[in-house]
Amino acid sequence: MPKRLYIETVGCQMNVLDSELVAASLRRQGYELVRSAQEADTILFNTCSVRQHAEDKIYSALGRLKHAKERHPEKIIGVLGCMAQKDQEQIFRRAPYVDLVVGPGQLHQIPRLLAEIAAGSGPRMEVSLDRRAGSRSEVEQSFESYDPLREPALRTSAHQAYVRVMMGCDKFCTYCIVPQVRGPEQSRPPAEIEAEARRLVAEGCVEITLLGQTVNSYKYREGERTVRLSDLLYRLHDLEGLARLKFVTNFPNDMTDDLLAAVRDLPKVARYLHVPAQSGSNCVLARMKRLYTVERYREMLDRIRATVPEAGVTSDFIVGFSGETEQDFAATVELLRHARFKNSFIFKYSPRPGTKGYELYPDDVPDEVKRRRNHELLHIQAEISEQDNQPFVGRVVPILVEGPSKVQQKQRRHSHAPESGQTLDGHAPGNSAALAEGEEAATMQLTGRTTCDRIVVFEGGRQLVGRMVNVVVYEATAFTLFGVLAPPPAAPDVYVL
Ligand code: 5AD
Ligand code: SF4
């Protein structure tokens, strides 16, 4: 009987990719993916440590499994990813029934560890070296690149895929745990990246998103020359069948002119740049050790606007970082109003043990102040997003169709019995393969994105998923454009002689 695997993922795109790869490697060992922990005999949580809240969610999910494990001691429970690397044995202390703890640099060991546990080895843990526990190269080696073969059926979308171009981070922003848990910055060889992209495109992928914590810091020495992210974009751009190339997340200081020129000159590269500012106050930026001032960030924005005026630029902000005064917050509001981001993700500061910020600075902004600042920024951003979406009304925009809209997916979930999983649980299946037979001809609410990453909702047939279509926008809200399929271009007049 095949072993049944349930994998739940929280956190960033890097975690979504890691879960996809872990699931694919276990499928090759004979595991079958199921949609709930109840049905599974192996339950894995791929975790995030960026904020306390993400960790709390995992510890409560583990708490809920305590009784299931008492009733079925043969069930294997594993904790993977960033929280595994950060908390290590502490996880066994807080949840003694956990069998497996594996950091993000050790995921390749999972099939072997699960086999050993099933054979009665008892609990197993594999984590990478602490950043200060060895030389740079020793620590690098302990964070192994994990990019094994994919399985097309396991991607969250048949037409879209993530490709890791680098691992880890060397920026050490004082609030951030990522450099500890994902290890030193290491760029993958371009030839490997290209081979992976080629395979994905051959399997029907039309959109590839290159992933890195600071993706625009990508650098790889190839003989005499250094390959940069812009070179990678040129190298991948002409793959036949590829319609769109994206990359996330950018670090402001590494937004170089060659990269902006590549975005401008390569039509398949999305006009979309996620470049987190984090704060608009120089005092706060200095305490965060972001390595730029607000003036330098604004100069970078000016270069983006001058080179790629139509680009959708998005940001992250942290409110309530240690010592953030009303004046500091006002500076952030000013930056937000000035920059007119397409969207911003706003987080309340969450102190992370293991970071410099936790060591050096008290968490001294009261929670209600963080909450108020969070709401205020969200509100201002929503106003800007709504205003800046209005000019799209009446325009024809080319979009890449991603799949059924959220509303459509909900309706399907109500009207269809759940099936055993093709997609990774915890993530919306933006997968055309998830549609049932017979829906081929019917129209449904579909969603797609413009090159500047605006979400467009419209009615269309399933056969459009994975294609570029033109949509006429008739309504715009802060985060969604609504449209109808543009009529095909008129047939040329035919003159009968
Ligand atoms: N508290 C709150 N937000 C954080 N981020 C990173 N670390 C923290 C933290 N300790 C946010 C940053 C980053 C995004 C992925 O998460 O804004 O860009
Ligand atoms: Fe964290 Fe800063 Fe690295 Fe981003 S650049 S992952 S915020 S340390």
Side-chain angles (χ1 to χ4, degrees):
M1 190 163 125
K3 290 162 280 189
R4 290 177 312 259
L5 168 71
Y6 173 72
I7 178 159
E8 189 164 311
T9 311
V10 292
C12 62
Q13 289 110 323
M14 203 62 104
N15 267 11
V16 174
L17 173 58
D18 283 342
S19 290
E20 180 190 319
L21 298 175
V22 167
S25 75
L26 290 175
R27 280 262 291 226
R28 274 190 291 280
Q29 311 277 318
Y31 282 79
E32 169 200 331
L33 261 188
V34 294
R35 290 198 162 222
S36 70
Q38 288 80 2
E39 297 166 72
D41 43 41
T42 302
I43 303 164
L44 302 178
F45 293 97
N46 194 6
T47 62
C48 171
S49 276
V50 140
R51 284 169 290 276
Q52 182 66 42
H53 178 66
E55 295 191 349
D56 293 344
K57 263 178 30 190
I58 296 299
Y59 279 113
S60 21
L62 287 174
R64 286 194 296 275
L65 287 177
K66 184 167 185 245
H67 294 297
K69 178 78 175 179
E70 276 163 13
R71 282 195 305 274
H72 300 283
E74 73 287 356
K75 276 191 195 253
I76 296 179
I77 301 176
V79 177
L80 322 178
C82 296
M83 194 184 91
Q85 179 65 36
K86 174 173 159 287
D87 287 358
Q88 306 192 359
E89 307 80 10
Q90 212 182 303
I91 296 173
F92 294 125
R93 285 199 288 277
R94 285 183 67 170
Y97 42 90
V98 165
D99 303 282
L100 179 67
V101 170
V102 184
Q106 299 290 323
L107 299 176
H108 58 285
Q109 312 240 38
I110 289 175
R112 178 179 62 77
L113 294 168
L114 285 175
E116 287 173 12
I117 293 166
S121 71
R124 301 300 313 267
M125 180 172 92
E126 287 292 344
V127 290
S128 302
L129 288 178
D130 186 273
R131 289 222 43 173
R132 277 166 296 200
S135 68
R136 167 109 193 167
S137 79
E138 283 165 346
V139 179
E140 276 182 1
Q141 277 167 31
S142 82
F143 281 89
E144 273 202 36
S145 174
Y146 183 65
D147 294 285
L149 286 179
R150 314 279 183 101
E151 208 174 300
L154 281 181
R155 290 206 305 273
T156 42
S157 155
H159 305 284
Q160 299 165 286
Y162 294 130
V163 171
R164 191 184 336 261
V165 301
M166 60 196 294
M167 308 188 297
C169 182
D170 281 347
K171 302 289 188 210
F172 287 97
C173 303
T174 57
Y175 52 81
C176 185
I177 194 69
V178 167
Q180 323 295 341
V181 292
R182 286 215 169 249
E185 183 181 306
Q186 300 186 70
S187 294
R188 286 180 73 200
E192 256 181 41
I193 296 167
E194 190 181 331
E196 198 174 329
R198 265 182 201 287
R199 220 167 27 232
L200 288 163
V201 173
E203 287 165 7
C205 246
V206 292
E207 178 185 282
I208 287 182
T209 303
L210 306 178
L211 293 186
Q213 245 74 39
T214 55
V215 68
N216 58 341
S217 320
Y218 177 88
K219 268 185 199 66
Y220 192 87
R221 286 293 294 178
E222 219 171 40
E224 284 302 288
R225 62 185 292 271
T226 301
V227 181
R228 303 159 297 178
L229 181 63
S230 57
D231 302 313
L232 266 189
L233 294 176
Y234 275 97
R235 228 155 135 161
L236 301 179
H237 186 264
D238 292 335
L239 289 182
E240 206 173 315
L242 183 69
R244 191 169 279 172
L245 254 178
K246 297 188 193 180
F247 54 91
V248 282
T249 290
N250 294 286
F251 191 72
N253 293 1
D254 295 327
M255 196 56 94
T256 49
D257 288 340
D258 59 291
L259 180 58
L260 294 178
V263 176
R264 178 195 61 203
D265 296 339
L266 295 172
K268 292 181 186 172
V269 174
R271 269 88 181 111
Y272 162 56
L273 297 165
H274 182 57
V275 209
Q278 310 297 359
S279 170
S281 150
N282 282 336
C283 296
V284 175
L285 288 170
R287 273 201 301 280
M288 287 178 162
K289 203 166 102 25
R290 283 293 285 182
L291 312 171
Y292 52 82
T293 59
V294 70
E295 290 76 20
R296 182 162 177 196
Y297 187 90
R298 284 168 70 145
E299 177 274 325
M300 175 215 65
L301 274 178
D302 291 344
R303 278 190 298 115
I304 293 179
R305 303 292 187 209
T307 317
V308 203
E310 73 279 24
V313 183
T314 58
S315 178
D316 293 345
F317 286 98
I318 296 177
V319 291
F321 185 61
S322 177
E324 186 189 69
T325 62
E326 287 303 328
Q327 214 180 352
D328 293 322
F329 178 66
T332 297
V333 170
E334 199 186 316
L335 174 62
L336 190 72
R337 288 195 191 281
H338 166 86
R340 298 196 79 82
F341 295 109
K342 177 188 77 103
N343 195 9
S344 296
F345 301 91
I346 298 156
F347 307 102
K348 293 188 296 174
Y349 173 54
S350 169
R352 308 284 54 222
T355 61
K356 270 274 171 273
Y358 184 85
E359 253 174 58
L360 297 177
Y361 309 120
D363 179 25
D364 55 3
V365 176
D367 197 56
E368 69 266 21
V369 175
K370 288 181 184 169
R371 230 176 307 140
R372 171 174 54 74
R373 292 178 184 169
N374 192 343
H375 282 150
E376 202 173 320
L377 284 193
L378 281 174
H379 182 75
I380 299 168
Q381 179 60 57
E383 255 175 27
I384 292 170
S385 301
E386 181 158 6
Q387 284 163 6
D388 288 359
N389 276 350
Q390 295 316 309
F392 283 85
V393 175
R395 268 169 59 182
V396 178
V397 287
I399 65 164
L400 181 62
V401 185
E402 294 186 351
S405 72
K406 279 195 192 134
V407 172
Q408 185 71 42
Q409 285 173 29
K410 254 195 220 140
Q411 281 169 1
R412 282 198 75 254
R413 252 175 260 139
H414 287 303
S415 60
H416 293 266
E419 313 133 8
S420 258
Q422 279 290 303
T423 54
L424 300 175
D425 266 291
H427 291 279
N431 191 345
S432 58
L435 296 169
E437 289 294 315
E439 284 179 324
E440 182 82 41
T443 66
M444 61 184 69
Q445 203 178 59
L446 294 172
T447 174
R449 278 173 203 260
T450 64
T451 181
C452 55
D453 209 53
R454 286 180 164 84
I455 296 169
V456 184
V457 170
F458 67 104
E459 290 280 323
R462 147 197 183 151
Q463 75 283 358
L464 298 179
V465 175
R467 297 224 210 124
M468 296 289 296
V469 298
N470 284 327
V471 170
V472 190
V473 177
Y474 64 82
E475 194 189 337
T477 63
F479 305 110
T480 313
L481 305 178
F482 294 90
V484 289
L485 273 173
D493 290 336
V494 177
Y495 295 98
V496 180
L497 293 173

